[in-house]
Amino acid sequence: MLENVTIKAYNNASILKTIKVKDAPIPHLADLDIGPPLKSLYFYSDDEVRKLVDNEALCSLFAPLLASLLREIISIRDHDQDQANTKRQAQKDKEKDVDVST
């Protein structure tokens, strides 16, 4: 979601501003947290993540997505694919056993 990408950039700029002040030769000791307040990212529910996993067009619609969310989506897709492959292989093995016994 573009909103999360924008918020992430905003938060990073705020954090960087605070770090720069802390690293300055004579920091203002009274208030070292000078960057603007951080904003909360949008939280995706499990159902929303599942919809993104199952629908690549939906991912494109909400692009750009945060790298962490993309990694989660890819991880779930890989896991789903592994499970499907395991199930498919088990079914083939079962069919093979039935053919051998008949």
Side-chain angles (χ1 to χ4, degrees):
M1 184 175 250
L2 181 57
E3 182 179 343
N4 272 351
V5 172
T6 303
I7 290 170
K8 183 79 170 172
Y10 171 90
N11 287 347
N12 286 344
S14 174
I15 292 166
L16 184 61
K17 188 172 184 179
T18 299
I19 290 170
K20 283 182 178 179
V21 168
K22 286 181 180 180
D23 291 342
I26 304 173
H28 304 285
L29 297 177
D31 185 19
L32 290 178
D33 189 15
I34 60 136
L38 300 181
K39 297 180 180 181
S40 296
L41 296 174
Y42 176 79
F43 174 77
Y44 289 91
S45 70
D46 291 341
D47 289 339
E48 289 171 319
V49 172
R50 186 78 242 176
K51 288 177 184 176
L52 290 169
V53 167
D54 295 338
N55 190 337
E56 289 190 34
L58 192 59
C59 285
S60 297
L61 180 67
F62 289 115
L65 298 171
L66 290 177
S68 58
L69 179 58
L70 288 174
R71 283 191 299 272
E72 182 178 355
I73 290 168
I74 291 168
S75 175
I76 294 170
R77 285 180 182 162
D78 288 346
H79 180 262
D80 289 353
Q81 185 65 40
D82 289 345
Q83 282 188 323
N85 290 341
T86 301
K87 187 176 180 180
R88 196 175 307 114
Q89 186 60 45
Q91 183 64 31
K92 284 182 182 179
D93 292 344
K94 185 178 177 181
E95 290 170 2
K96 190 177 182 182
D97 289 343
V98 170
D99 287 344
V100 171
S101 65
T102 56

